[in-house]
Amino acid sequence: MALVTFLSDFGDQDYYVPAVKAKMLSINPQLNIIDICHHIEPFEIEHAAFLLKSVFREFPKGTVHLVGINTAEDLTQGYMGAKLEDHIFICPNNGILSLITEQEPGIMVQFADIHLQDTPFPTKDILAPIAAKVASGAAIHDFGGPLKGFRKLMSRQAKATREHILGHVIRIDRYGNLITNIQRDVFEKLNPGKFTIQFGRESVQRLQKGYGQVELGDPYAFFNSLNLLEIGINHGHAGNLLGLKRDSVVYINFQN
């Protein structure tokens, strides 16, 4: 299956997204191009990485993922292809791959100068043709030589002790729910049975199994499908109502 996913911060009010797709389809009209998202805030690499990390494993192994985030020359250390967890990534070497998994790529290729050009639109003119050709059967080795290392960024990690976990909000979704970096397995290893989750001026002492299991206007917390602690207010925008935003602190205090 010639499958390509496409993630960018281009929005949908300009010609950028269709131009990139047209370039790929001009190479192989049979490509199946799946949009992950094009509404990333400009240059928000952490948001882009969060979305890519959340969904790329849901696609079949061998899927080609085209990433059009921070592709300008002053924001990247060149352009690369990588095989990571049996998926292929065509992207700028700007650190995004280091934020989607702790595993090292099995193969990394620095795209050769012959495939590069001086262009204000590198996603269309450099990355899209390579993505289309790789999805159509070419190997990423065909487009360059080995890349020994790639740019790495550090993501914010929750801090845990036997007494508490200190985490942060990493994403507020369109419903106002607060997604944190507190992982289920860490919580379950430390949880003695009684705990308080503190967020802003609110707190809860129990976990729900999903949305809408508390009274309207009441706060709730549960571990979502990503196994991350999520906090919300039933039929309310938790971010606005609680005065919380990305990087806001969330505490879990354990009572022994």
Side-chain angles (χ1 to χ4, degrees):
M1 178 188 297
L3 179 62
V4 179
T5 75
F6 184 19
L7 172 68
S8 79
D9 58 2
F10 296 157
D12 60 7
Q13 296 183 344
D14 296 292
Y15 69 91
Y16 308 131
V17 169
V20 172
K21 291 182 178 181
K23 174 64 76 170
M24 290 190 283
L25 291 171
S26 70
I27 294 170
N28 181 356
Q30 303 303 315
L31 285 178
N32 186 6
I33 304 172
I34 306 295
D35 296 300
I36 292 180
C37 182
H38 300 295
H39 289 277
I40 308 294
E41 289 296 320
F43 315 116
E44 279 284 354
I45 193 169
E46 289 185 356
H47 181 195
F50 173 76
L51 292 181
L52 192 58
K53 178 179 181 179
S54 299
V55 303
F56 83 85
R57 297 178 185 88
E58 305 295 332
F59 290 94
K61 292 181 179 180
T63 296
V64 175
H65 303 279
L66 171 61
V67 181
I69 302 288
N70 295 5
T71 57
E73 289 185 4
D74 61 332
L75 297 173
T76 183
Q77 297 176 0
Y79 306 99
M80 63 181 291
K83 184 175 183 181
L84 182 62
E85 295 190 27
D86 293 318
H87 290 251
I88 304 296
F89 296 86
I90 307 297
C91 59
N93 184 2
N94 60 13
I96 190 168
L97 289 187
S98 67
L99 297 177
I100 69 172
T101 178
E102 295 181 356
Q103 294 188 29
E104 292 289 320
I107 299 171
M108 292 190 296
V109 171
Q110 177 82 39
F111 295 143
D113 290 344
I114 192 173
H115 301 291
L116 308 182
Q117 54 182 291
D118 186 12
T119 172
F121 200 170
T123 303
K124 177 179 77 75
D125 296 326
I126 297 173
L127 300 179
I130 296 175
K133 292 172 184 177
V134 171
S136 302
I140 54 175
H141 299 97
D142 297 340
F143 302 95
L147 177 64
K148 294 182 178 180
F150 66 107
R151 186 176 182 184
K152 294 186 178 182
L153 301 175
M154 294 294 293
S155 60
R156 186 188 291 271
Q157 301 292 322
K159 298 179 180 179
T161 69
R162 291 185 178 181
E163 289 77 33
H164 69 268
I165 298 175
L166 189 157
H168 294 83
V169 176
I170 59 173
R171 175 68 184 149
I172 302 177
D173 71 14
R174 64 173 303 191
Y175 299 100
N177 299 314
L178 311 172
I179 302 172
T180 78
N181 60 352
I182 298 174
Q183 299 179 1
R184 182 197 295 269
D185 59 347
V186 175
F187 171 83
E188 290 181 345
K189 287 178 183 178
L190 297 173
N191 178 23
K194 295 181 65 177
F195 57 87
T196 298
I197 303 174
Q198 183 75 42
F199 42 96
R201 59 184 178 271
E202 294 285 350
S203 65
V204 297
Q205 286 77 44
R206 60 176 296 184
L207 291 170
Q208 306 298 328
K209 294 183 178 180
Y211 305 98
Q213 296 184 339
V214 298
E215 296 295 325
L216 292 178
D218 284 350
Y220 58 84
F222 71 99
F223 283 97
N224 63 22
S225 61
L226 302 174
N227 289 316
L228 296 175
L229 183 70
E230 185 168 329
I231 295 163
I233 291 179
N234 193 7
H235 283 241
H237 192 292
N240 293 339
L241 293 173
L242 299 173
L244 301 179
K245 56 186 179 180
R246 195 176 73 177
D247 285 338
S248 290
V249 172
V250 175
Y251 290 101
I252 301 179
N253 294 307
F254 297 115
Q255 292 94 46
N256 292 304

